[in-house]
Amino acid sequence: MSANRWLSTGNYFTSYKEEQRIFATHLDRSVLLCFLAVLFAWPLLFEVSNKQMFVIDNIMIAMIAVVGLNLVTGFAGLISIGHAAFVGIGAYTIASFARLLGDTHMVLTHGWPALIVLAGFMGALFGAIAGLPAFRLKHLYLAIATLSFQMIFQWTINFMDFFDQGQTISVGRVFWVTGRVGRSDHYLFWYYVILVIIVLVGFGVRNLLRTKYGRCLVAVRDNDRAADAMGMHPGLTKVYAFALAGFLAGVAGALHAYLYRGVGIESFTLHHSINYLAMAIVGGLGTLSGSFWGPLAIKVLDMQVERLSEWTGGHLAVATNLATALKPLSFGLIIVLFLMFEPRGIANWWRIVRSYVKLWPFRY
Amino acid sequence: MTYLTVSDVTLTFGGLNALTDVNMDIEPGIITSIIGPNGAGKTSILNCISGFYHPSKGEIRYGRRSLTKASPHQVSNYGIARAFQNLELFSGLSVLDNLMLARHQNLNYSILHAVFYFGKAARLEAENRAYVEKVIDFMELEPYRKMMVGNLSYGVQKRVEVARALTLAPRLLLLDEPMAGMNIEEKEDIVRFILDLKKEWNITVVLVEHDLGVVMDISDQIYVLDFGMLIGKGTPDEVASNPKVIDAYIGEE
């Protein structure tokens, strides 16, 4: 009898290689491929306004950043309150090219894929530097150290003439094989770029997590004494975790710079760091799928609350103050509620739904 | 031939001597036990050997290497593995991943291989998985392979702890009270594993244990510590008849 590769029933493995696959069945893989195909096709089938596309692009950039944050905070257990600074490093890498060469220079407009990767490496470098305190510090103290990096970053940019004291530095429109990406296609173009990067990041991180480079992160989270005895250097592993997070943040930052066609300090403040952390918590710390759910949930919540406060403000002038307070209030509330009732985040709901669908119509 | 030598090791914590001039010669291929009352310094000596503490005075040599200043990850690379007394497992990972972590040093592929999971990464993961399975088979952990370690019972976690040390493929295995808190049946299992380790895997075992019955039964060599000082050594029979040892355990009249 040959093995059934399509369903989990009758699907048995004869080698460890087979068993170590990401997708246990062909069905799992096909479903994901179909989903990806839909993601690529839908903007072509439906009319999407630039404004909507802009929001979607923003969510997707946040996803890339949060995957990075989840690696360092969720998997390696090192709380980072300076993630927006790493995103900023990526964005300011692009900005420094714009300042040095002019914002419509060839390097910037034609060499953007290379620059995005370079921004990632810059993020990794600064991530590693900011992660150095992890050699000695743990838990809350380390969190304060990352906070100080956030502050240093903001102050440095605010006082550097080169970066225009944090005011917006513009970045030119990029070129694609079809020519310059114009105003009407801008957001659609970046949707595809970001989508491709997300797919690469998703698969890269999923692969990483099933090798020693992913396991060592969880090892230093759960027990760094034992990790030491297992033959890895816990300090270096933590610095590596920060570098990894910095890389993804840097890529997200570069995309942010190109999408907004400008870089200003107001997008990389402490507030944004907290926001990323909230996304990781709501999505589910220590899960890959949570890094995708979190940004989606938080941004959608943000938009709905904004709509609500606009509506109340329009109808009841007295309530305007209340309406403005609604946004931070709901933001705080959702974090508290998740920490209290679902500390494993939306990813856990996703897990439950999946196992239910897999077993249906049986209970277990 | 001596294998691991501990010579004149003194370990001081702010004026208090946890160990005073301890000398030990651990020979290959046998089971050496370290016993002593609570607070005698048994775990301290293991911590010194495995690199978690560095002795204030004296030297520890393993073959031609000095372990006096080595850090735990270096010691583990020299072929010395350690199972902890209080469970120090990676509770958020499955048994399989816990054991795969012990193969960390053998998985020498680059991060680029890992990201794309091709070539060397895939091959080495599968190869080392085969080794892990050998240990799982030996330690009889098959039913728990994919379970989260944090959810397992205490006795099984203890067994995973020993299995993880074993997965490092050590030549010298340091076991810190592997039988603490276990019932008779579980103890018998562990004893069987230890004896098989010596016989089939040719691993030198250093055992710290409170259960004197077990120690007297399986040890080839025993060292007795009390208040950080070595008060007796020799075969089980020699130690059992040593008046100092009897004193330390039963006390003077």
Side-chain angles (χ1 to χ4, degrees):
Chain A
M1 193 180 82
S2 66
N4 179 358
R5 288 266 168 271
W6 279 94
L7 297 169
S8 27
T9 342
N11 185 3
Y12 51 82
F13 310 108
T14 48
S15 73
Y16 294 127
K17 224 170 200 158
E18 275 174 27
E19 202 243 4
Q20 285 167 334
R21 280 193 191 129
I22 296 179
F23 301 106
T25 61
H26 288 334
L27 192 67
D28 288 352
R29 180 163 42 193
S30 313
V31 168
L32 187 76
L33 286 177
C34 286
F35 178 64
L36 287 181
V38 167
L39 282 185
F40 275 98
W42 76 269
L44 304 175
L45 301 175
F46 299 96
E47 196 65 40
V48 198
S49 75
N50 272 343
K51 205 177 158 191
Q52 287 165 329
M53 213 36 155
F54 178 62
V55 171
I56 293 167
D57 287 353
N58 258 317
I59 293 176
M60 283 169 40
I61 289 177
M63 283 175 181
I64 297 176
V66 171
V67 170
L69 182 64
N70 223 334
L71 283 175
V72 72
T73 300
F75 286 95
L78 311 161
I79 301 169
S80 166
I81 330 184
H83 204 63
F86 300 134
V87 179
I89 296 282
Y92 273 96
T93 307
I94 305 293
S96 53
F97 276 93
R99 289 289 288 189
L100 281 172
L101 307 167
D103 61 347
T104 50
H105 191 272
M106 279 276 284
V107 173
L108 224 60
T109 55
H110 289 73
W112 55 270
L115 279 193
I116 289 173
V117 176
L118 179 73
F121 280 110
M122 285 303 285
L125 178 68
F126 278 90
I129 293 169
L132 285 179
F135 267 99
R136 293 269 166 180
L137 300 179
K138 271 186 190 173
H139 313 304
L140 210 53
Y141 303 99
L142 182 65
I144 301 295
T146 58
L147 176 66
S148 72
F149 179 75
Q150 170 77 43
M151 287 304 156
I152 290 167
F153 172 75
Q154 270 174 255
W155 277 75
T156 313
I157 299 291
N158 275 332
F159 283 93
M160 269 176 88
D161 279 336
F162 181 68
F163 289 126
D164 235 350
Q165 265 93 11
Q167 290 175 47
T168 307
I169 299 163
S170 65
V171 175
R173 294 190 181 280
V174 298
F175 280 77
W176 181 238
V177 283
T178 51
R180 204 167 82 118
V181 178
R183 193 181 165 79
S184 55
D185 300 334
H186 181 74
Y187 295 114
L188 187 65
F189 173 75
W190 285 106
Y191 170 78
Y192 280 110
V193 174
I194 300 168
L195 187 59
V196 167
I197 292 177
I198 284 198
V199 172
L200 288 177
V201 164
F203 274 91
V205 171
R206 168 52 71 227
N207 277 336
L208 210 62
L209 289 176
R210 58 183 177 143
T211 62
K212 74 168 195 173
Y213 293 97
R215 280 193 296 262
C216 66
L217 297 179
V218 189
V220 292
R221 175 191 72 190
D222 283 352
N223 197 326
D224 55 357
R225 238 167 82 87
D228 203 349
M230 290 303 109
M232 68 187 80
H233 193 300
L236 281 180
T237 309
K238 288 174 186 174
V239 170
Y240 150 75
F242 270 103
L244 209 57
F247 181 84
L248 292 173
V251 169
L255 291 170
H256 184 278
Y258 275 119
L259 181 72
Y260 282 73
R261 296 201 298 111
V263 181
I265 190 68
E266 73 281 351
S267 306
F268 313 108
T269 58
L270 177 61
H271 176 78
H272 291 86
S273 283
I274 307 278
N275 224 329
Y276 287 132
L277 209 53
M279 289 173 185
I281 290 170
V282 169
L285 283 173
T287 56
L288 182 58
S289 68
S291 326
F292 300 119
W293 291 114
L296 188 68
I298 292 279
K299 295 263 182 180
V300 168
L301 177 84
D302 248 20
M303 283 192 305
Q304 295 306 324
V305 170
E306 209 162 311
R307 192 175 294 172
L308 183 72
S309 56
E310 263 171 31
W311 182 81
T312 47
H315 283 75
L316 203 66
V318 192
T320 319
N321 281 337
L322 193 73
T324 20
L326 208 57
K327 205 169 161 181
L329 197 75
S330 64
F331 177 74
L333 191 68
I334 191 120
I335 299 176
V336 172
L337 287 179
F338 263 95
L339 284 177
M340 277 174 71
F341 296 110
E342 189 56 280
R344 283 177 290 182
I346 301 176
N348 197 39
W349 300 348
W350 173 238
R351 191 182 60 82
I352 292 167
V353 167
R354 256 179 38 154
S355 63
Y356 180 83
V357 170
K358 260 190 186 163
L359 292 174
W360 189 88
F362 303 108
R363 293 292 296 277
Y364 53 85
Chain B
M1 187 193 88
T2 45
Y3 200 40
L4 182 82
T5 1
V6 176
S7 38
D8 293 327
V9 162
T10 301
L11 181 68
T12 316
F13 292 116
L16 179 83
N17 279 5
L19 295 170
T20 318
D21 294 327
V22 175
N23 286 293
M24 283 183 189
D25 295 313
I26 286 156
E27 283 156 45
I30 63 168
I31 297 172
T32 308
S33 292
I34 302 173
I35 59 170
N38 286 327
K42 307 182 293 292
T43 301
S44 294
I45 193 91
L46 281 202
N47 277 335
C48 282
I49 296 171
S50 54
F52 286 102
Y53 295 159
H54 301 301
S56 331
K57 205 176 89 176
E59 219 196 353
I60 302 171
R61 296 195 70 82
Y62 175 63
R64 266 170 295 157
R65 290 197 179 91
S66 169
L67 300 183
T68 321
K69 294 263 185 294
S71 52
H73 53 272
Q74 287 169 326
V75 173
S76 75
N77 290 346
Y78 296 157
I80 301 179
R82 156 94 186 263
F84 295 89
Q85 174 182 9
N86 303 314
L87 295 167
E88 306 260 4
L89 292 164
F90 308 114
S91 48
L93 288 172
S94 66
V95 172
L96 203 56
D97 281 337
N98 264 273
L99 300 188
M100 282 302 276
L101 261 163
R103 303 300 295 169
H104 192 79
Q105 285 303 324
N106 299 64
L107 298 164
N108 52 354
Y109 45 79
S110 72
I111 189 158
L112 214 61
H113 282 93
V115 165
F116 296 103
Y117 206 80
F118 75 103
K120 217 173 168 187
R123 201 187 71 232
L124 284 176
E125 283 287 324
E127 275 175 20
N128 282 284
R129 173 66 192 280
Y131 188 89
V132 164
E133 285 297 330
K134 208 174 106 186
V135 174
I136 287 180
D137 192 37
F138 174 72
M139 295 297 291
E140 292 161 19
L141 286 169
E142 292 95 339
Y144 314 108
R145 202 182 273 133
K146 297 255 163 122
M147 285 195 207
M148 208 72 112
V149 162
N151 303 338
L152 294 173
S153 70
Y154 181 78
V156 178
Q157 288 198 25
K158 273 280 193 193
R159 231 186 309 158
V160 176
E161 178 82 52
V162 176
R164 189 182 61 179
L166 196 55
T167 315
L168 280 163
R171 275 167 296 164
L172 178 65
L173 184 64
L174 312 173
L175 298 175
D176 198 353
E177 300 200 19
M179 283 163 253
M182 287 187 156
N183 61 31
I184 294 278
E185 207 173 321
E186 288 169 327
K187 272 186 190 177
E188 281 174 350
D189 279 342
I190 294 277
V191 167
R192 186 162 48 83
F193 292 138
I194 294 174
L195 289 174
D196 283 350
L197 277 181
K198 174 184 154 187
K199 215 182 286 168
E200 290 171 23
W201 294 53
N202 261 324
I203 293 175
T204 312
V205 180
V206 175
L207 179 70
V208 167
E209 186 51 56
H210 265 303
D211 190 324
L212 285 181
V214 170
V215 170
M216 293 298 168
D217 270 354
I218 66 171
S219 309
D220 300 303
Q221 173 94 343
I222 297 179
Y223 286 91
V224 192
L225 287 172
D226 193 19
F227 294 113
M229 274 175 282
L230 200 63
I231 57 167
K233 65 170 185 177
T235 60
D237 291 336
E238 285 166 17
V239 166
S241 55
N242 186 332
K244 271 194 192 164
V245 177
I246 297 167
D247 246 20
Y249 266 92
I250 302 166
E252 284 171 279
E253 267 185 278

